[in-house]
Amino acid sequence: MSTKVELAACQVHVTPETYASETSFDAMLNRIGGKLEEARTARGHEYAYPCLAVFPETIGTFLPLVDRLDGVRDAKTTDDALGRIARKSALGIARAMVRGKTLHPTVAFLLSVAPEVRRIYRNAFSRFAQRYNVWTVAGSAFLPRNAYGDLADDFSPTDGRIYNTSYIFNPKGRHVGVVRKVNLVPTVEDSVGLSPGHKGDLWPVTTPFGQIGTLICYDGFRVAHTPNEPRFCPLLTHYDDHGCRIVAQPSANFWPWDDTWTFQGVQGSMKRHEQWLNEGLLSQMDQVPLQSLKYAVTAQLLGEVFDNRFDGRSHILERTSEGARILAEAPRGDVSPEAETVVFRVVEV
C-alpha cells in the first residue's frame, strides 16, 4: 500500500550575519519554515501528509561565530575569523588538545567549542522540527562523537576526532538519528583535520513513510574526484540494501555551479552541474540495480561566508520504470538571497 509524503529540499542562503546569535540562526530557520508552510497541503488545522525537510551540508559549521561575530566582521577569510576567536580561547583549546590527545590546532578548536555548537545546532533544529511538524535532516555540523551516546542530551567528546555530522529529528523535535560523512573531499575536509565516518554506522531512520537514509554530499557520488582516494566507496546501494525508499543528501558546493569542473589543477570536460548529475545520485538511480530506493532529496547551501562561496540548484529525484529523472528543481542556484527557496513535491512511496 502506497503512502503520500511531502518532500522538501530546503535551499538556504547564509551570510556571516546568519551566525551572529542564536536568535539570528533561528530566524533563518523560521524564514525557511515560512516558505515550507506556504507549500504544504493542509486540511483544516492539520497537514494532509507527513513531510521530510532536508537542509544543506555545513549549515552548522559556522556556529562558532555565535556571539563572537562583532570581533571578526572585517576578516577576509574563515581561517582568519576563527583564528581570532581561537586566540581569545587559548586556554580552552590547550585543554582540548590534552583531553583529545591531538596536536592539530583546528581539531582542538572544534573540540573546545563542540559543546556550545552542538547545543545550538541540536536545539535549533529540534525546535524547527516541532514547530513545523516535519521530519528534519538537519544539514551538518563539525562535531565529535558523544561519550554519552549519539542521541543523549548530555554531551562530552568521546575522543579527539571531529566528523562532518548530520542529525535527524522527528516532528516532535526528538533527536532520532546521526550520520557521519564517510567520503571526505580531499584538500577540503581533510585539510581541517576531519575524520571519516564508517559505512557500518550509516543506519536508516524509520518513519511512517518508510526508511530514510542520509548521504552527506560527496557520499552520494559513485566515483571519486581523484585517482588517489583508495578509501572512497559509493554508498547508495548500502541504504537500498536496508530497504530505504528515500535518501536525503545535504550538500554544499564550493565550486562555481555553471563553470567547467576543475579539481587540483586538472580541468575536466563537464561543467560542475553536469558533473554533479553524471557522477552523483541521478546517474546511480538510473544505472545501478536498485530494489527499494525511489526518491532522493538534495538540498544545497547558498551564499558567502568570508572566503567560502556556495551555489548550486537543489532538486528532488525520482526513480521510475523508465529510469531516473529530476522530479523538481530550484529555479536558480546562485549566491544571491533571492535564490533561496524550498523545492517541494508530494509523492507516493
Side-chain angles (χ1 to χ4, degrees), residues 188-203:
V188 178
E189 290 169 306
D190 54 355
S191 66
V192 297
L194 297 186
S195 295
H198 300 285
K199 177 180 176 180
D201 293 336
L202 297 181
W203 291 100

Side-chain angles (χ1 to χ4, degrees), residues 65-85:
L65 295 172
V66 167
D67 294 332
R68 302 181 179 98
L69 184 61
D70 284 344
V72 299
R73 271 195 174 88
D74 62 337
K76 301 300 183 184
T77 68
T78 302
D79 285 346
D80 180 22
L82 297 184
R84 294 189 203 178
I85 293 171

Side-chain angles (χ1 to χ4, degrees), residues 131-143:
R131 183 179 296 138
Y132 297 102
N133 192 28
V134 292
W135 291 84
T136 304
V137 176
S140 73
F142 293 170
L143 292 169

